[in-house]
Amino acid sequence: MRRYPAITGTLLVTCAYGLMNLGWRDTAEAAVVYFLGTHLLSALSRGSQRGHWLPLAWNLAFVVDLGVKAFLITVYKSRPDAALVIEAISNTNSDESAEFLMNYWLLLGTYTLQLSVLAVLLFIATRPEPGRGASRRRGLVTVGVVFALLHLHPGVRRANPLVFWPVQAATVEEFRANVDTLRSKREIAKSQLPQWAPAYDGPERHTVGLVIGESTNRWNWQLYGYSRPTTPELMRHADEMLVFRDVISAASSTVSSLRQMLTPRSLRDAPNEESLPSVLMLARAAGYKVFWISNQHDRYITARFAEEADVQKMLNKGAAPGTGGSLVERSLDEVILPEWKAALDDPAPRKLIVAHLMGAHAHYDLRCPDHLRHFESGEDDVDRQLEAAGRPLWVRTKRDQYDDAMLYQDRVITRLLEQFKDAIGSEGSGAWLYTSDHAEEVGHTRNFTGHSPDEAGQVVPMLLWRPGGVPDPSIKAELEARPFQTDVLDWTLLDLMHVRTRHDSPHDVLVARDFMPRPRALNDGTPYRPTRMVAAAAPSPDR
């Protein structure tokens, strides 16, 4: 094998990455990048007196890459490009760095020893042989072109440490600059609080729970007439809450949607929302203890909203190794439940508890535990309708996976509701509201799955439970049928919290007597007119 250094080194790298539990996909990508790079560098260094420095630098880059990734997975169960890591690096000073080294010196020493052995083995295996085959360059150009073209794939770029780590360094600097900007704007927003004069006018104890879903399309909910049994548990609670049937999201992406849902910004009025008080800020000023519990790790949302809470629980630490989807998060939403319960048990008299779910964020097959998969085998009416509409197999497969994610979400959302009801009681004071940041196109109108700027990307469910039951059937039906867009959700949330300000907008409060529907628009700017779509039945009044 000494005559084939690229093969020998690749075997060593593959074994090392595999033993460090980085996941088969990361390992495979690293092996491909390492093999092609070693082959190129070995060819370039033949016959050169200083050529050994090229493969040596290449080997050391992979050794350091492996060490950092393995350490983060062992200690934090996280990847280096996860928001947890980027935020930690951005906010760490020299004293904290020293403390970190003192805490983990033994593990760091062990890794250093192991990686040193690997570096020596790689150096021996891939050391060029000057004078041997210096003219053997056939195919070098082809390998170089293939190597370059492979880097068009993000997974390959992440597997090449000479590409990945410079990008990470730039990302950290960008994040640090963005956070500094957001924090300065937050100070401006705080200075606006006296002009808003938020005040609480409710009972002594009051709790509001806001559950924000992700990529959840109400057309795929049994609760809204879908033919598949995707929400059997929520169906049992339907008569106890308001099930709003004509709601669309503020936008078709997470950040754009939340920026409008939780601030005074709306489609009609577009102030600089980063310089105006958010719902969380107004709640705290009115005496609320605010909790932000998230199974996502979006960098903007964490810096913009989570940091405004009194208590932050960021539960998604990045990709889970060994899941077959090593670069995609497989943190199931049930991790939210203990922290949600702990927030409900907190003795504060007034609480706003926000839970941000992973929901049906792509990839859909990672959003449901294996034992709950139900729709990916066999054929039913939905499959036949999609096939009749000309949807290819890959779209139909994605729909099955998406509906499995909906079935799992049904369990999680119901548990969040039941825990809230148990904590508040029928005689207590509070409100529980669920909606999604946006919806998802999953073969409803075209051969496509994912974020979409049209109706399929914005039709979301919205549920509201309050102690004391619901109004009589006629009033309940009228409330549930109200047309609404979540860009003005902030006014409904403030009303549910009994927080009044000098800038209240009662016409935008969904459950208020003075509610007046606004003109609604889709993300592409077209006026919204509800339609019926493939495999999505109209809501059934008897559910």
Side-chain angles (χ1 to χ4, degrees):
M1 295 295 285
R2 179 69 189 87
R3 297 180 58 187
Y4 306 99
I7 296 176
T8 305
T10 301
L11 291 174
L12 287 170
V13 167
T14 303
C15 291
Y17 274 72
L19 290 172
M20 291 295 188
N21 194 32
L22 292 184
W24 65 265
R25 188 174 298 176
D26 277 3
T27 300
E29 289 169 345
V32 170
V33 171
Y34 180 86
F35 174 79
L36 292 176
T38 301
H39 180 78
L40 285 170
L41 294 176
S42 297
L44 291 172
S45 62
R46 289 192 186 107
S48 171
Q49 294 296 325
R50 300 180 179 180
H52 66 283
W53 290 108
L54 292 175
L56 176 61
W58 184 246
N59 288 335
L60 287 177
F62 273 84
V63 168
V64 173
D65 177 77
L66 171 62
V68 174
K69 290 178 178 177
F71 178 83
L72 290 173
I73 286 175
T74 301
V75 177
Y76 297 109
K77 295 182 173 58
S78 185
R79 299 285 171 176
D81 53 351
L84 171 78
V85 176
I86 292 173
E87 290 166 16
I89 295 174
S90 300
N91 294 301
T92 299
N93 56 38
S94 57
D95 290 339
E96 291 169 331
S97 298
E99 183 179 344
F100 173 86
L101 293 173
M102 291 177 62
N103 285 337
Y104 293 105
W105 67 270
L106 181 59
L107 183 60
L108 288 169
T110 303
Y111 274 6
T112 300
L113 179 61
Q114 294 174 342
L115 294 170
S116 298
V117 173
L118 175 62
V120 171
L121 292 175
L122 286 174
F123 177 74
I124 295 173
T126 60
R127 185 177 56 193
E129 299 180 27
R132 178 183 176 89
S135 62
R136 293 179 58 191
R137 308 236 173 185
R138 187 175 56 188
L140 187 60
V141 173
T142 301
V143 174
V145 171
V146 171
F147 184 64
L149 290 176
L150 283 175
H151 281 73
L152 295 174
H153 190 280
V156 173
R157 293 196 299 272
R158 283 190 289 262
N160 186 339
L162 298 184
V163 174
F164 175 76
W165 290 107
V167 170
Q168 279 301 102
T171 301
V172 169
E173 288 304 315
E174 180 184 3
F175 179 80
R176 183 180 286 122
N178 289 338
V179 169
D180 289 342
T181 300
L182 284 173
R183 286 170 179 163
S184 65
K185 290 183 176 180
R186 185 180 303 129
E187 293 304 314
I188 297 174
K190 285 182 180 179
S191 71
Q192 305 296 317
L193 285 172
Q195 298 179 22
W196 285 71
Y200 178 72
D201 68 354
E204 180 180 353
R205 303 190 65 85
H206 190 74
T207 302
V208 172
L210 170 62
V211 181
I212 303 173
E214 166 69 50
S215 302
T216 302
N217 190 319
R218 72 165 180 266
W219 289 341
N220 293 74
W221 275 25
Q222 178 190 13
L223 190 61
Y224 288 88
Y226 189 45
S227 60
R228 279 178 169 171
T230 53
T231 56
E233 297 198 26
L234 284 171
M235 293 284 285
R236 292 197 292 270
H237 294 277
D239 292 333
E240 309 168 15
M241 57 186 176
L242 294 174
V243 181
F244 298 101
R245 302 189 172 278
D246 190 10
V247 177
I248 63 171
S249 61
S252 57
S253 63
T254 301
V255 171
S256 295
S257 191
L258 263 65
R259 288 174 68 178
Q260 298 182 70
M261 291 167 65
L262 300 178
T263 72
R265 182 185 179 120
S266 70
L267 295 175
R268 184 180 62 186
D269 308 310
N272 183 352
E273 94 322 310
E274 291 167 353
S275 298
L276 291 175
S278 69
V279 167
L280 286 72
M281 195 176 291
L282 291 167
R284 289 185 68 182
Y288 273 84
K289 185 173 183 178
V290 178
F291 300 78
W292 186 278
I293 308 168
S294 178
N295 191 29
Q296 294 208 30
H297 58 77
D298 184 278
R299 297 163 189 166
Y300 176 89
I301 292 172
T302 299
R304 175 63 183 91
F305 296 113
E307 289 190 6
E308 294 184 1
D310 297 285
V311 178
Q312 304 166 33
K313 296 293 182 179
M314 314 306 292
L315 305 177
N316 192 322
K317 296 180 174 59
T323 62
S326 58
L327 294 173
V328 182
E329 304 87 344
R330 190 175 186 173
S331 178
L332 295 172
D333 278 329
E334 59 201 54
V335 300
I336 290 276
L337 296 172
E339 298 296 342
W340 177 263
K341 179 67 164 57
L344 289 169
D345 292 340
D346 189 277
R350 295 193 290 277
K351 293 175 291 187
L352 169 62
I353 309 171
V354 182
H356 190 193
L357 306 180
M358 181 60 79
H361 194 292
H363 301 246
Y364 310 138
D365 59 323
L366 300 180
R367 304 295 163 239
C368 177
D370 293 337
H371 69 280
L372 287 181
R373 300 189 187 281
H374 180 75
F375 302 111
E376 296 177 47
S377 60
E379 186 178 271
D380 58 13
D381 289 341
V382 171
D383 292 307
R384 287 185 283 272
Q385 290 175 27
L386 291 171
E387 188 172 7
R391 304 290 179 257
L393 177 61
W394 69 270
V395 172
R396 302 199 303 270
T397 300
K398 291 288 187 181
R399 172 67 75 88
D400 292 340
Q401 295 170 350
Y402 186 81
D403 286 345
D404 279 336
M406 295 297 100
L407 184 61
Y408 176 65
Q409 285 297 293
D410 176 60
R411 286 195 170 196
V412 173
I413 297 167
T414 300
R415 297 296 175 271
L416 292 170
L417 172 60
E418 291 174 343
Q419 287 184 1
F420 190 88
K421 290 169 63 177
D422 290 342
I424 302 302
S426 59
E427 303 299 324
S429 180
W432 178 95
L433 188 144
Y434 168 87
T435 192
S436 182
D437 56 354
H438 57 84
E440 198 94 337
E441 167 71 83
V442 196
H444 298 99
T445 64
R446 56 195 173 109
N447 296 336
F448 177 78
T449 64
H451 288 30
S452 184
D454 52 19
E455 184 181 23
Q458 291 185 244
V459 284
V460 293
M462 182 178 285
L463 314 172
L464 174 63
W465 178 88
R466 288 187 287 189
V470 295
D472 65 64
S474 61
I475 297 177
K476 183 176 188 291
E478 186 273 327
L479 290 171
E480 290 180 333
R482 287 180 171 180
F484 188 72
Q485 189 159 13
T486 60
D487 61 317
V488 292
L489 182 66
D490 48 312
W491 300 114
T492 299
L493 291 172
L494 290 171
D495 183 78
L496 293 175
M497 288 190 289
H498 299 293
V499 173
R500 310 301 170 204
T501 77
R502 291 175 180 169
H503 301 285
D504 284 352
S505 181
H507 296 312
D508 290 319
V509 178
L510 181 55
V511 291
R513 182 177 301 175
D514 297 328
F515 174 76
M516 294 179 61
R518 290 188 183 212
R520 295 179 290 174
L522 296 173
N523 206 77
D524 58 9
T526 59
Y528 175 59
R529 297 180 181 86
T531 62
R532 289 184 62 176
M533 297 298 159
V534 175
S540 171
D542 59 4
R543 290 183 286 275

